[in-house]
Amino acid sequence: MTQHKLSRPAWIRAALAEFEARLLRYATSITGNADLARDVVQDTFLRLCAADRAKVEGHLAPWLYTVCRNRALDVRKKEGRMNPLAEGQAEALADSAAGPGDVATQKETQRLVMSAMAGLPQDQREACRLKFQDNLSYREISQVMDVSLGTVSNLITRAMSHVRAELGARLDLAREV
Amino acid sequence: MTIKLNEETLTAYVLGELEADQVAAVKEALKANDTARCMVEELRATAKLMGEAGFAEPAIALSEEQREAIHARAEAPGNVVKPPIRRWRPWLAVAATLVVIAGGAMVLLPALSRTRGFVTKGPMWLAEKKMLPPEKQAQVDELVQTMREEGVRREPIQRFFIADVNNPDSNVVPEHIARIAYEQAGAEGVPTADKMKHPAVPSESPAQSSPVPLVETEGLTWKAAAGSPVSPSVSRRGRVSGTERARLGVATDLDLKEAPRQEVQPEAFGYDAGNQITIGQPMPVAAGKSAALEGRMDSVRRLPAPGPPHDDPYQVYWPGHNTESYDSIVENEFKAVTQEPLSTFSIDVDTASYANMRRFLNQGTLPPPDAVRIEELVNYFAYDYAPPRDLEKAPFASHVTVAGCPWTPEHRLVRIGLKGWEIPAGERPPTNLVFLVDVSGSMGPRNKLPLLKEAMKLLAQRLGESDRVAIVVYAGSSGLVLPSTSGDNRQAILGALDRLQSGGSTNGGEGIELAYNVAIANYIEGGVNRVILATDGDFNVGVTNRGDLTRMVEKKAKSGVFLTILGFGMGNVKDATLEELSNKGNGNYAYIDTLKEARKVLVEEMGANLVTIAKDVKIQVEFNPAEVRAYRLIGYENRMLAAEDFNDDTKDAGEIGAGHTVTALYEIVPAGVSFTPRGVDPLKYQQPKPALSETARTGELMTLKLRYKAPDGDKSKLLVFPVVDPGLGYAQAEPDFKFAASVASFGMILRHSKFAGRASFDSVLELAEEGRGEDVHGYRAEFIDLVKKAKRIAAAR
């Protein structure tokens, strides 16, 4: 039997603190609705409460993402929503356009990156989110998205290729920053 | 270690996804490559920006109540699901089954609360059958009573209920059963016990009926619990096995080579009971009204437990999560005729491997070698063999062609072709089938849509020219994916099936309407006209009102089109709806849990007039040592039989349907050509030289022997054909022969076969072009495209 350092409630609390916001964003990206995402994430953590800790520890992040994703996909199906832009994303895109001087350049680059990422096919976008926002490894992403490692590698490569092309010359600027 | 510096490698490098030795190799290679270094710089900058920019979403948080709920649950003791207990306790299994029915394990209750009115009667049945332990029964009764008295608010049941079925002391179960029972009764009136006339669930052997682990369970635990000999880990989409290819870049050039695996037959990989515990026997097809009710109750009792990982999207299996596995195929070796003069195998008309290969190539990767079964690639194509002339002699014709072997010119290639007879139109009632396929998201698990597709392929292979098939799909919207098509255009039918994918929500009503319209438009007087609805029954968009649906079906049934309903999956099969629909639609309802069951229902029973012309067809070839030094059967590795099985009528083999073609290829080393048998020292006390019979000097190359049984027979008949090699070079061979050779050599390349000789993508293309022929449906052209794709992918590495 594994010795856990934290008590179970403390462990759950820690997981909640660490992953709540991340999972909510992820779930929102799938369900397209913050309220649904909250339900999904609540469900995810409730399941964590019922999970065999020994089997989850060491894989907590991919475990949570997998459960969250499956729940979110189900909710999306039930709600009949198809792949909408995440709530607030459009505004965020619009907001970030302006600003003085260097900040403006930076923001413009950022805006370009965001719009390039938003323009990615859904699977690439999801892989990128898990890679760049959630810092999951290819391996973990392949588990969460239920695709092969090769597919993950391919998705990320293509996505970065696309973003890189969209950025073009700006990359040189960015590199110097 | 050397490594190929392509964009994918560099991306993985920048993102820190390579192994230490690969990183070293990349670093080394980068020194000499300015372009690659530049790309690395760019990738680094891009990664940084992508990390920073993200998707710019506002941060959101759970509500306080939600967080409270989680903390409360975290504090609650005893909510960890225990490992499954082996001991069989009937009520537990029933409870498990019921929980499954009640919306696909407890976590599906949200679905349940939203589609109220479609709630299954499972829990009711449990309560009414007094299957619960007395104290639980009392609790349920009391709770139901209280709810009735108080008119409990119809709010969703607690979103999650974690029913620990292995823990009879858990008091969650009665409450929820009661709640569901109450809800059900409210929606549909209180069912009476006499409707539920089934006796108690029979006890089964422990292996068959282990209690169901409901929440997180290791795949391994599952395997053990189910007593399954097969790996449960075949994913519907996932490719990489977590454990097998533990790390990206096991292969030096980052091509993510698959570990040796073999695609297994769907049956073998466990649509069957191995992975999916079926409580009791497979449900018989319910024919007619009362049988349908029986069937419904049966399936309530016998719904499979939540099976392998991917059947239940909520099951998280960790770690060896989600893999597609292929057993390794050990390629048939050359056999010295002096040592093994007989080669025996069963025919195989499966074509799944071709579709699988196509999927890989279309995704831009080469298929794992063990996913390539050459005989299935070859048999994907129909060849122009003449049908039998004299049906008294045999229900199929056999054709043997011998010509030069394109990839090893000093060898000969023998093609054995069988062609089943076409039953003349009019000798059996023609069939007009419209498949109405639910492709909503919930049909994704492989015991649903993928299983259905396999089953439909079995059926499609039985159809003839006078039959018609159409496929209507429904999800969020519905559509005709295959207009009514003649049954002999098998490729079009199979192609449409291959393209079916799940996604979207379910609008059953619209689909039913369309399907009936197609069936009526193609109505065959005096024939069998049937809509086959395949679904898990989770109608959640459009006409979802059960009354409206049944009224619609009832009206449509007057047109003379019959309705067959095939229920799939276990999560949210809405048994009652389906059963009622089929009753109103002059039809039957069957629950399909395994390919075997599908075959039984779709092919043997419903397709009774779709003709199998011969069964247990076996081929045995005896080679003449005077002419042949060695031989090799190409493909059919998992169809090999022992020589003595040929005459053993108890040994099963493949079936051949009306109009079927079957093709098998042998590569032969002629007597004059050198051949070194592999691995064995020459015998010390024996001369391998056999004593030749008179016939051996006639110049016959080999003798082809076929055994088959009549579809209803149990005694086999034998056909014998001597074969002489006319000495054709492959250039003179007929186009079909070249095409088959092309497909086989392509398969060998994909399998990295050591026998591929000179075969190259270019030689494959050349042969395929020469062998293209008329190609009415364009399948050979598609093959040529696939070869080109493979060539490009291989070159890019």
Side-chain angles (χ1 to χ4, degrees), chain A residues 20 25 38 43 47 51 59 70 74 77-78 92 114 129 131 133 138 143 146 148-150 153 161 164, chain B residues 7-8 17 42 54-57 61-62 67 107 160 216 239-240 256 313-314 318 321-322 442 538:
Chain A
E20 177 185 329
R25 271 196 224 107
R38 284 191 188 98
D43 290 354
R47 277 187 56 87
H59 322 286
N70 290 336
D74 187 62
K77 190 197 84 185
K78 296 289 176 208
M114 281 190 293
R129 165 185 298 280
K131 177 75 222 168
Q133 293 215 172
Y138 280 8
Q143 288 166 335
D146 189 11
S148 74
L149 212 45
S153 170
S161 190
R164 203 153 55 89
Chain B
E7 186 169 357
E8 190 168 15
E17 295 284 348
E42 283 194 19
F55 292 86
E57 295 133 341
L62 291 175
R67 223 174 276 139
V107 288
F160 271 95
E216 293 72 34
R239 296 294 87 89
V240 170
L256 306 165
Y314 302 92
W318 223 260
H321 156 87
N322 230 349
S442 61
D538 192 11

Side-chain angles (χ1 to χ4, degrees), chain B residues 102-405:
Chain B
M106 58 289 151
V107 288
L108 296 190
L109 276 182
L112 191 146
S113 62
R114 284 195 200 104
T115 51
R116 202 175 295 121
F118 284 80
V119 175
T120 100
K121 288 179 182 169
M124 284 303 287
W125 175 71
L126 175 70
E128 294 197 13
K129 287 313 295 172
K130 311 288 179 199
M131 288 297 295
L132 296 169
E135 66 282 6
K136 278 203 198 294
Q137 185 64 51
Q139 274 176 286
V140 168
D141 290 347
E142 193 185 330
L143 281 161
V144 172
Q145 192 52 39
T146 316
M147 288 171 182
R148 280 193 192 129
E149 282 166 10
E150 294 177 359
V152 173
R153 296 178 311 278
R154 290 287 190 107
E155 64 192 7
I157 306 172
Q158 181 184 359
R159 201 160 278 280
F160 271 95
F161 75 96
I162 308 295
D164 180 359
V165 294
N166 295 316
N167 176 7
D169 301 318
S170 155
N171 55 13
V172 184
V173 174
E175 189 190 339
H176 286 91
I177 290 172
R179 187 59 176 268
I180 295 165
Y182 170 75
E183 295 257 346
Q184 185 69 22
E188 305 187 8
V190 185
T192 51
D194 61 344
K195 278 196 213 158
M196 321 285 181
K197 56 185 173 187
H198 272 280
V201 175
S203 286
E204 301 291 345
S205 68
Q208 209 176 349
S209 49
S210 311
V212 185
L214 274 180
V215 190
E216 293 72 34
T217 311
E218 287 282 338
L220 282 175
T221 314
W222 242 102
K223 237 178 4 180
S228 160
V230 294
S231 159
S233 52
V234 178
S235 115
R236 63 198 141 96
R237 285 186 293 130
R239 296 294 87 89
V240 170
S241 138
T243 46
E244 281 168 346
R245 285 169 295 148
R247 273 265 152 226
L248 171 70
V250 172
T252 346
D253 55 352
L254 207 111
D255 60 359
L256 306 165
K257 280 203 185 73
E258 321 275 318
R261 297 179 293 174
Q262 168 197 328
E263 186 179 346
V264 285
Q265 294 297 313
E267 284 157 295
F269 72 54
Y271 289 133
D272 259 330
N275 274 346
Q276 228 164 271
I277 305 176
T278 307
I279 298 171
Q281 296 305 306
M283 181 197 139
V285 183
K289 212 163 186 170
S290 63
L293 179 62
E294 290 281 301
R296 181 164 72 78
M297 294 313 302
D298 263 9
S299 64
V300 166
R301 284 183 303 152
R302 291 167 181 178
L303 275 174
H310 324 294
D311 291 346
D312 177 355
Y314 302 92
Q315 291 277 13
V316 176
Y317 285 78
W318 223 260
H321 156 87
N322 230 349
T323 58
E324 178 172 308
S325 73
Y326 303 95
D327 290 350
S328 69
I329 297 176
V330 179
E331 204 172 18
N332 287 331
E333 293 278 343
F334 276 103
K335 301 270 165 65
V337 175
T338 48
Q339 284 163 5
E340 290 182 54
L342 294 172
S343 170
T344 312
F345 64 100
S346 155
I347 63 161
D348 179 9
V349 291
D350 292 346
T351 57
S353 178
Y354 187 88
N356 202 25
M357 171 202 78
R358 179 172 55 201
R359 176 176 62 99
F360 277 107
L361 291 176
N362 285 335
Q363 284 170 359
T365 54
L366 295 176
D370 286 325
V372 178
R373 288 194 297 273
I374 296 176
E375 75 280 12
E376 296 196 6
L377 306 194
V378 172
N379 277 310
Y380 184 78
F381 300 92
Y383 300 94
D384 190 19
Y385 306 135
R389 273 168 303 191
D390 185 358
L391 295 182
E392 294 297 307
K393 273 196 191 145
F396 52 86
S398 44
H399 300 272
V400 181
T401 313
V402 188
C405 176

Side-chain angles (χ1 to χ4, degrees), chain B residues 540-569:
Chain B
N540 55 17
V541 173
V543 185
T544 57
N545 178 299
R546 190 153 127 196
D548 290 351
L549 272 178
T550 47
R551 269 189 294 282
M552 180 160 82
V553 166
E554 200 169 10
K555 205 172 97 207
K556 296 290 183 186
K558 295 201 172 81
S559 63
V561 174
F562 290 71
L563 179 67
T564 290
I565 297 186
L566 306 176
F568 282 83

Side-chain angles (χ1 to χ4, degrees), chain B residues 6-57:
Chain B
N6 55 29
E7 186 169 357
E8 190 168 15
T9 316
L10 293 176
T11 303
Y13 169 73
V14 164
L15 297 178
E17 295 284 348
L18 295 183
E19 298 283 10
D21 53 344
Q22 293 174 321
V23 170
V26 169
K27 278 188 177 152
E28 189 57 40
L30 278 176
K31 283 181 192 161
N33 191 331
D34 292 340
T35 325
R37 273 206 309 278
C38 182
M39 190 188 256
V40 166
E41 287 297 301
E42 283 194 19
L43 283 168
R44 283 218 171 96
T46 310
K48 181 160 172 276
L49 286 169
M50 286 172 83
E52 287 164 0
F55 292 86
E57 295 133 341

